[in-house]
Amino acid sequence: MQINPVHVESTVVLAVVLCVHMAVWNQHSWCSIALVIQAFYVQHKWDRLLRSGGAVFQFRPSANSGIVPASMVMPLLGLVLREKCSASGNVYFERFSMVVTITGMMLALFLSLIALGITRPVPTNTCVIAGMAGSAILYTTKQTLTVSEVIEVLEVLLIFVYLSLIVLYLLPRCFTPGEALLIVGGISFIVNQLIKRSLNLAEVKGDPVNYFLPVLVVGSLLLGVFFALLFCFMESESWGSSLFFHMMTAVLGLGILMPWLSLFIGRHPLMWLLDFITLNDRRLCLLAYWVFLSVVASCVVLHQNYQRQSGSKKHQASTIVRKYFHLIVVATYIPGLIYDRQLLHVASVGCLAVFLFLEYVRYFRIRPFGQLLRQLLTLFLDERDSGPLILTHIYLLLGMSLPIWLFPGPCAPKGILPGAGGLVPYAGVLAVGVGDTVASVFGSTMGEIHWPGTKKTLEGTATSVFAQIIAVAMFLIFDSSINLNTTYSWIVGSITLVAMLEAYTSQIDNLLLPLYLFILLLL
């Protein structure tokens, strides 16, 4: 009997949903169970559309639709954040978390409606299940959200619709439907929150560090969409177009984003950043160390390209070579997590800005480095980079950084969560930096027993779990803020569930695994 990997993937996600439901147990958690059931049925319709070529846009090949794991991320994230904020008595962020939950559910339902609307013949049973789940979610929304919060959810949905049309048209074969839901949905939520806060500056509060990421996301989105549309009508490789690109980037950064950011932090961003970096000698030492690792990573890229022989242009870097970068990123993040998480937050946002800018330069072939970047990065392509963009390194950065960016600081007394919550900022390091790296290396070199229906091996998964447990023990030694109490069995169970998801998912594991481990550790 052959096992369908999609069924195992969905079973793992259902197990996570049930864990959250048992811990939270409210109206929204019941809705999350209804959502995952309808997503399971809808995923089969999406998979059929992808195989038959009936989807409206071109999605990433050699992968299933990924509706089930992607649909549950935002709802589950909102549920666990609400539980923490409720326990700490933070009413504002408790309501905010409810909006996150309902928004995630509405986006998932919208994607389901698209699949059901273009599937022929009309899948009656799936429509009934989706209708029942949608009715339960709409009723719960009416009972739990205020009018202004419902309007906020609808605003995000409207932004998502238009942004999805633009992104999927301009970037064919870059995403699966699930990845598009997760990425475009997250961007839509950030855009709406930034607009809302810009229109209510009197209510702006919180750590200035938290405003760098939203402004960067909106700025990068504006830059990418503008030039993608512009270069449809003009040549992008000429010196004139390249000069215009650099000039408009400077205008956007210095003329729009800087003043916009200054409204939130109350002073000039560059002066604030200078004071922030030079606050103490430890921060300067960390920055010097990170610059050194950046140089090492650049040397690895140059060395691998130098090793490539002229007669084997189709040669690609091996799995082990690509995992060098995972080790470098682990060496980057662990000192920051232990000694200065705020600096790591700002530095990771800055690194994301650099990565996005360089990808624009490569994609548009902007002189003088566009063609050079294309030649250097071609060596590291894998089957997931099937579209015009190279996103693997950006996904790696996001996977490591999202647990830090999403950490519920206002709901954590003294910035520390008890029990397994102390490991929440380390979720990216554990799932991607340690777990995924060890699973790939050991699975590809020594793995013999394959999980049914997949290329992943039992040896790779087992060593992944073992390596993450050792990493947790090391974090306990070097980070005195972590106090696990009696939650060891929960941590091992969470790591094992996420390792099983890594073995069976065909989605971008660098993005998906840290989010699910973040959710489980936050319970």
Side-chain angles (χ1 to χ4, degrees):
M1 178 180 177
Q2 188 174 3
I3 296 178
N4 189 342
V6 175
H7 292 168
V8 181
E9 177 190 55
S10 301
T11 302
V12 174
V13 174
L14 177 60
V16 176
V17 172
L18 291 176
C19 289
V20 174
H21 174 62
M22 295 302 294
V24 176
W25 199 274
N26 58 24
Q27 288 175 285
H28 295 117
S29 67
W30 282 106
C31 287
S32 68
I33 294 178
L35 183 67
V36 73
I37 293 173
Q38 74 88 29
F40 175 76
Y41 281 88
V42 170
Q43 175 157 319
H44 287 282
K45 309 308 173 188
W46 264 112
D47 290 343
R48 185 186 303 170
L49 287 170
L50 296 180
R51 287 194 298 268
S52 65
V56 178
F57 297 102
Q58 298 181 56
F59 293 98
R60 183 165 66 86
S62 69
N64 61 55
S65 60
I67 296 298
V68 172
S71 295
M72 301 313 301
V73 170
M74 278 187 71
L76 294 180
L77 188 62
L79 283 172
V80 294
L81 288 175
R82 181 193 176 188
E83 189 69 10
K84 288 298 178 185
C85 294
S86 176
S88 66
N90 193 321
V91 179
Y92 174 82
F93 278 96
E94 183 181 353
R95 302 297 304 181
F96 176 79
S97 301
M98 290 174 59
V99 173
V100 173
T101 299
I102 296 298
T103 300
M105 292 181 178
M106 290 299 182
L107 293 178
L109 285 175
F110 175 77
L111 203 62
S112 300
L113 289 176
I114 293 177
L116 298 177
I118 60 180
T119 299
R120 293 293 181 272
V122 176
T124 306
N125 294 338
T126 306
C127 287
V128 171
I129 294 172
M132 293 173 61
S135 299
I137 293 170
L138 288 174
Y139 177 78
T140 303
T141 301
K142 177 180 178 296
Q143 294 294 315
T144 56
L145 295 190
T146 64
V147 174
S148 61
E149 289 169 342
V150 172
I151 293 174
E152 189 174 342
V153 172
L154 295 177
E155 289 169 349
V156 176
L157 187 58
L158 183 63
I159 296 172
F160 175 79
V161 171
Y162 286 104
L163 198 56
S164 297
L165 294 175
I166 295 172
V167 171
L168 295 178
Y169 174 76
L170 295 176
L171 303 174
R173 303 181 307 281
C174 283
F175 312 102
T176 64
E179 291 163 3
L181 170 65
L182 194 57
I183 295 169
V184 180
I187 292 174
S188 302
F189 190 84
I190 290 174
V191 170
N192 185 67
Q193 287 297 312
L194 189 63
I195 294 173
K196 176 185 173 183
R197 282 164 170 72
S198 299
L199 296 176
N200 297 278
L201 289 174
E203 299 180 6
V204 169
K205 54 184 178 180
D207 195 336
V209 168
N210 296 325
Y211 292 104
F212 279 81
L213 180 62
V215 172
L216 165 67
V217 168
V218 173
S220 301
L221 180 66
L222 292 174
L223 186 68
V225 171
F226 174 76
F227 279 103
L229 295 175
L230 179 65
F231 289 145
C232 288
F233 305 99
M234 61 182 293
E235 180 62 42
S236 64
E237 299 180 47
S238 65
W239 277 106
S241 298
S242 299
L243 182 62
F244 181 68
F245 173 86
H246 293 301
M247 182 181 68
M248 289 303 298
T249 302
V251 169
L252 177 67
L254 300 176
I256 298 178
L257 299 186
M258 287 291 182
W260 199 354
L261 191 55
S262 66
L263 293 176
F264 294 114
I265 64 178
R267 56 182 301 195
H268 195 283
L270 292 180
M271 299 305 298
W272 181 91
L273 190 61
L274 181 63
D275 292 340
F276 179 80
I277 292 173
T278 58
L279 182 64
N280 54 52
D281 293 337
R282 176 179 290 174
R283 288 188 171 178
L284 296 176
C285 292
L286 279 173
L287 286 173
Y289 171 67
W290 291 339
V291 170
F292 169 74
L293 290 178
S294 301
V295 173
V296 171
S298 301
C299 290
V300 171
V301 173
L302 295 174
H303 176 71
Q304 290 299 320
N305 276 272
Y306 179 77
Q307 291 288 329
R308 180 165 48 174
Q309 299 177 358
S310 59
S312 57
K313 294 184 178 179
K314 293 184 179 180
H315 170 72
Q316 296 298 117
S318 65
T319 300
I320 296 177
V321 170
R322 284 199 292 267
K323 297 307 174 183
Y324 288 163
F325 298 101
H326 284 237
L327 296 177
I328 292 173
V329 172
V330 169
T332 301
Y333 273 71
I334 289 179
L337 286 167
I338 293 174
Y339 296 114
D340 199 327
R341 293 179 186 177
Q342 275 202 322
L343 179 64
L344 181 61
H345 186 128
V346 174
S348 58
V349 171
C351 190
L352 177 62
V354 172
F355 277 15
L356 290 175
F357 176 76
L358 291 178
E359 181 56 25
Y360 285 151
V361 170
R362 187 206 64 82
Y363 174 62
F364 294 126
R365 295 185 176 91
I366 301 298
R367 293 174 180 264
F369 299 114
Q371 193 59 39
L372 176 63
L373 287 172
R374 280 180 172 262
Q375 295 172 0
L376 292 176
L377 296 180
T378 301
L379 178 65
F380 301 95
L381 293 177
D382 62 13
E383 68 277 1
R384 294 173 297 183
D385 293 312
S386 54
L389 294 183
I390 299 177
L391 297 171
T392 307
H393 59 297
I394 298 177
Y395 286 140
L396 175 60
L397 175 65
L398 288 175
M400 300 290 286
S401 303
L402 280 172
I404 302 167
W405 298 341
L406 296 174
F407 182 79
C411 303
K414 300 180 181 179
I416 301 172
L417 293 174
L423 291 172
V424 162
Y426 291 90
V429 173
L430 288 171
V432 176
V434 177
D436 184 47
T437 302
V438 171
S440 297
V441 172
F442 279 84
S444 61
T445 56
M446 297 187 298
E448 294 182 359
I449 305 174
H450 290 269
W451 288 107
T454 178
K455 296 179 181 179
K456 304 295 178 65
T457 65
L458 176 63
E459 293 88 347
T461 303
T463 52
S464 167
V465 173
F466 186 63
Q468 290 180 73
I469 293 172
I470 294 176
V472 170
M474 298 298 293
F475 298 153
L476 280 171
I477 294 172
F478 292 101
D479 191 343
S480 59
S481 65
I482 301 176
N483 182 16
L484 300 183
N485 298 327
T486 58
T487 57
Y488 297 102
S489 58
W490 178 258
I491 293 170
V492 173
S494 300
I495 289 173
T496 304
L497 265 180
V498 173
M500 288 300 300
L501 183 61
E502 188 273 337
Y504 276 96
T505 188
S506 61
Q507 306 304 296
I508 300 295
D509 50 7
N510 287 351
L511 190 62
L512 206 60
L513 303 183
L515 290 171
Y516 272 97
L517 187 57
F518 178 92
I519 290 167
L520 288 170
L521 293 177
L522 202 55
L523 285 176

